[in-house]
């Protein structure tokens, strides 16, 4: 299925600053980039940054003397995914987890799994099947945390959310990640474009490492899991911010879109459909 | 200079558990491992784990039915380091930092650089030279935080320490890292064996990325910077724990040693000597 | 019923310091003090401190040049209490709460009821009867928080405990208070001597203001509610510390006891018995 | 000097709710209320609440079936104050503090003096004179914390502000209080009307108990200290909120004013003038 995504960002800089942006779709077998364009006004030096062990495609922009700045990214992506029988997914004990997944077991800035350990075992310890365990976590978050725009700040962490019980997609993802890690399931942050998300914005959800695959979960239930375009992965939002600013630049406007390419047919697979069909969705094949 | 290091760990497990240990010296041009031995009683399955983008050599031990467990690591290491003229170290703006160092600019579990930003700029913003800036941070921590055994827990973070002003080597390192990141200097955690550390223990300090090199700093001033054997690097202590336990095992005893190989000559280079000579120490050459 | 209580404290002071101690039993119709003795070695100036609106009997001791200090308090108390039919307890809406109870609706150092609001309403909002609501809170804490000696510090607050799920009597009390306040039930801290507490120590529990009376609750279920000798009340432990030290004094030993006067008969009324009999216990009659 | 103050509040209630408001000027020798009027639309049951040991004049309003609500308070106050020679103010050791001031030594919701102890002693421990010590605290806050509207939330506490270094008047007051308590100086929150405050709003500052008097301090330096009309005192903002809402009511508009009665002459005494004249201001005489 082909999706057209776009991100239009406007910044204002007080003095020469550096921006590290994370808006590019990742490359992978599951995400073939058919075409892609980045436009920056005025014309500024742009550099691509990659980091060993990460698929994120950061770009670095130097504002130089420019006071105002506009960055537009557009791409057409052919998205692919695998469906796996949920019932057949096997537990992979910590004793068999690959080294590369190891870091996703450790606590991070917004996912203090070390402090959520007893709670996680009390609530979900009895569920043995790993996929069911994560689904129970997703249900619990959906049932107990209310999606309230503006209720949290960039400092809000999973430890806050588990008690305060309000948040936005980023907070839902952080709590999901923290609870999974507390239960020894590697979990990572996922940010990306989401088809039919209302209102359109960059979305955040999370992935768990089950049976040597990264399966995608969304505790907000707002996104079609088969219509996500992956932009950033990381331990948490600290690793996948749309923009990290060094110097003094402020975002004046941000517009995100994600549409179906004309003629494409789409059959939504959200949380409800996956459950009904008894399948799990792997969107990082080849990554 | 050759050092003999050893780590002797005893664990008690209530039921079959998995331990991921980080006690092995890293391999690199700066750290040639002359000999090395790992002994586990009883004989258990042990596996080496490496992770893309990290030099840490984790081992994974499954306790199986064993209730008590002893792990002994011994190695002889030829340590090497470079000394750089502090005065000549150039600032590397964020605009030129390599992708692999990028993650060390972001906040992490114990180093909430995002919350320390104003404080860091207020205290150290006027110092332009990057090495001097870090040295000023090291001085500030040394002068304002008291080393008090048992004053902190495994949950204590840089945000706590900057106000509570007590801690152990781990806390000193976290605060140094957080302040550097807040000032856009990539910084990472360093754990390892330290010659003549009193009392002998695994030591923690930190490294900053200045002029495309990782230079080592120790705000406790307890270690000779030229007699450290690097074991773990990471964003903070969450990435370089001596032991991560999955299941139920408790450490019953831990003994660490680090001695000079007979006949070796040693001339200490601590914080004071480096300043006197106007040099910075790079211990990760070839890493 | 008559109880003999004692508290034996030993301090060491580095330099002249002031201690404010809260070990004296409160006076009230419910707690008649038959005899009482305070002995301090060496003989030091001691002063009684009372505070408008509080029944706590603080004493202030100045160490002067004394390096070591021993304070012994002994008293015989005739304890009394009222039993009320739980079923008949009426809800007192905030609209009818007395001014003096008002402060016990506000958040305090260790009871951040403002941050527990949604959680409290989600868990207990459906229970309308005020006494049943508090009993449900007591049950929830007892079922979800594990009593683990040494698992918390003097900084641990209700916001931590609700997620970390371990603590001691002080933490159980703080969480009970915070949840009640979040539900608009005035709640206060209670510290005192407790008969047959194992091991003997100063105990902490809490009181709720229901139908214009202060009823006592203990989420640890460790104490007989009809064999408590009230020492301190307050917003939380910050108001009822056994000792507040100004200067530099360290507690070297603390011994607490609470025994039945010979010949007295005692029939325990703990959480279980109260439920069985359908009664609530008011221990602050006349206070 | 006579001041006319007014507060106009509009609320919207979803269902019958109770509001406890704290907008009335306190009565005292220093604050003679010449006239006063409270108007509520629609006409609702209003009740005055007082609390032992507090001078705050709370009112309680029940919305009943009213969906929208307007509360207007107007008063003319004759303000008085004493000026004391700062140099002559004597230290009152903890050993001589009255029982009623005791509670203002303890940590509270937003003023975690227990966690700021080392910092406070490091920064201000050498200053022996109590008034100079508090003035040094006021200076330090003014110099190190930036007044930034909207930079903090109702959860922000002194422990946050001391590191994050931004805030509004409430945060400045909390930090001042916490630092004073950490140094064994009783300190309390002060909320009230402030003449010529820009923009007009309820102001917050703090008072310290020095030589058996409550002296007023304002680390924001925004208010004339001799033109404040005291509304609320308490441990921190939790005790002196303009409105505590039980049920579901939202503030739709709030307008505050404080003007000089015609013909009155006013000579400002702010932080700068007090220092110049070497005097301290006591505004709670007779309270």
């Amino acid at each position: 299925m082909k999706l057209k995504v776009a991100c239009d960002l406007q910044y204002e800089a007080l003095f020469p600053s550096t921006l590290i942006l994370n808006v590019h779709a990742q490359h992978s077998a599951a995400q073939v980039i058919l075409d892609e364009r980045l436009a920056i006004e005025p014309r500024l030096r742009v550099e691509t940054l990659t980091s060993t062990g990460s698929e994120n495609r950061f770009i670095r922009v130097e504002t130089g003397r420019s006071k105002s700045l506009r960055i537009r990214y557009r791409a057409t992506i052919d998205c692919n995914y695998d469906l796996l029988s949920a019932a057949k997914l096997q537990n992979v004990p910590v004793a068999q987890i690959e080294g590369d997944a190891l870091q996703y077991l450790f606590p991070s800035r917004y996912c203090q799994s070390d402090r959520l350990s007893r709670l996680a075992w009390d609530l979900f310890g009895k569920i043995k099947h790993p996929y069911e365990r994560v689904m129970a976590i997703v249900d619990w978050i959906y049932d107990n945390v209310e999606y309230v725009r503006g209720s949290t700040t960039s400092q809000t962490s999973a430890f806050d959310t588990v008690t305060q019980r309000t948040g936005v997609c980023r907070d839902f993802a952080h709590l999901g990640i923290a609870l999974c890690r507390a239960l020894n399931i590697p979990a990572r942050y996922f940010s990306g474009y989401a088809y039919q998300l209302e209102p359109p914005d960059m979305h955040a959800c999370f992935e768990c490492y089950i049976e040597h695959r990264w399966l995608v979960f969304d505790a907000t239930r707002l996104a079609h899991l088969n219509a996500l375009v992956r932009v950033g992965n990381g331990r948490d939002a600290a690793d996948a911010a749309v923009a990290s600013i060094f110097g003094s630049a402020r975002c004046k406007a941000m517009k995100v879109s994600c549409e179906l390419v004309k003629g494409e047919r789409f059959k939504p697979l959200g949380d409800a459909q996956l459950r009904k069909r008894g399948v799990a969705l792997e969107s990082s094949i080849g990554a």
Side-chain angles (χ1 to χ4, degrees), chain A:
Chain A
M1 187 190 56
K2 297 186 188 73
L3 290 167
K4 285 177 74 166
V5 301
C7 183
D8 186 342
L9 295 162
Q10 294 181 48
Y11 285 92
E12 208 168 72
L14 290 179
F15 50 81
S17 301
T18 300
L19 279 71
I20 295 179
L21 300 174
N22 190 201
V23 296
H24 281 66
Q26 288 186 12
H27 284 297
S28 74
Q31 243 180 229
V32 179
I33 297 173
L34 303 177
D35 61 69
E36 191 179 59
R37 216 182 61 186
L38 182 75
I40 301 194
E41 291 163 44
R43 292 210 167 192
L44 292 169
R45 205 179 139 234
V46 178
E47 196 185 354
T48 301
L49 276 177
T50 54
S51 164
T52 314
S54 161
E55 301 296 319
N56 296 3
R57 296 167 64 211
F58 293 100
I59 57 162
R60 182 157 53 192
V61 182
E62 286 175 71
T63 63
R65 283 184 223 147
S66 305
K67 295 288 178 210
S68 84
L69 195 68
R70 188 168 180 185
I71 298 139
R72 278 178 293 179
Y73 172 77
R74 269 157 226 289
T76 311
I77 320 280
D78 192 357
C79 292
N80 216 335
Y81 55 86
D82 263 5
L83 292 181
L84 308 162
S85 164
K88 288 188 192 156
L89 286 168
Q90 294 297 313
N91 195 9
V92 174
V94 172
Q96 289 166 34
I97 289 171
E98 282 83 0
D100 280 355
L102 209 62
Q103 63 173 311
Y104 298 109
L105 282 172
F106 300 142
S108 61
R109 171 69 180 90
Y110 300 109
C111 306
Q112 307 98 322
S113 43
D114 53 314
R115 301 187 73 186
L116 290 160
S117 183
R118 270 178 182 266
L119 175 74
W121 286 98
D122 283 356
L123 291 176
F124 311 108
K126 281 185 191 155
I127 306 167
K128 293 295 169 214
H129 192 265
Y131 182 77
E132 280 169 22
R133 198 178 254 185
V134 180
M135 289 309 263
I137 289 172
V138 165
D139 286 347
W140 189 89
I141 296 173
Y142 183 80
D143 290 341
N144 289 286
V145 182
E146 193 177 346
Y147 194 101
V148 181
R149 247 164 241 292
S151 62
T152 51
T153 71
S154 64
Q155 287 182 11
T156 306
S157 68
F159 189 75
D160 300 316
T161 304
V162 74
T163 297
Q164 299 182 178
R165 305 203 159 191
T166 60
V168 295
C169 59
R170 160 195 169 107
D171 305 301
F172 280 64
H174 285 157
L175 183 49
I177 292 167
L179 290 169
C180 288
R181 289 185 193 160
L183 296 161
N184 303 339
I185 302 168
R188 68 184 187 189
Y189 193 77
F190 176 115
S191 73
Y193 301 94
Y195 177 51
Q196 290 184 331
L197 187 70
E198 269 312 315
D201 202 349
M202 203 63 91
H203 192 53
C205 53
F206 69 104
E207 291 180 299
C208 290
Y209 195 69
I210 295 175
E211 212 190 69
H212 311 291
R213 298 153 190 267
W214 286 105
L215 306 178
V216 66
F217 298 90
D218 182 6
T220 68
R221 294 193 192 160
L222 292 174
H224 307 304
L225 296 177
N226 62 335
L228 290 168
V229 174
R230 177 189 309 259
V231 168
N233 279 130
R235 301 237 192 136
D236 56 31
D239 287 1
V242 167
S244 302
I245 294 162
F246 304 90
S248 173
R250 285 201 310 161
C251 188
K252 305 300 288 181
M254 175 170 174
K255 229 182 121 182
V256 169
S257 70
C258 180
E259 286 165 31
L260 217 54
V261 166
K262 251 182 207 165
E264 287 288 306
R265 282 166 44 196
F266 173 68
K267 223 176 133 183
L269 278 176
D271 191 85
Q273 289 86 6
L274 293 179
R275 281 169 207 263
K276 210 172 171 182
R277 293 177 51 182
V279 292
L281 192 143
E282 180 192 11
S283 70
S284 57
I285 41 171

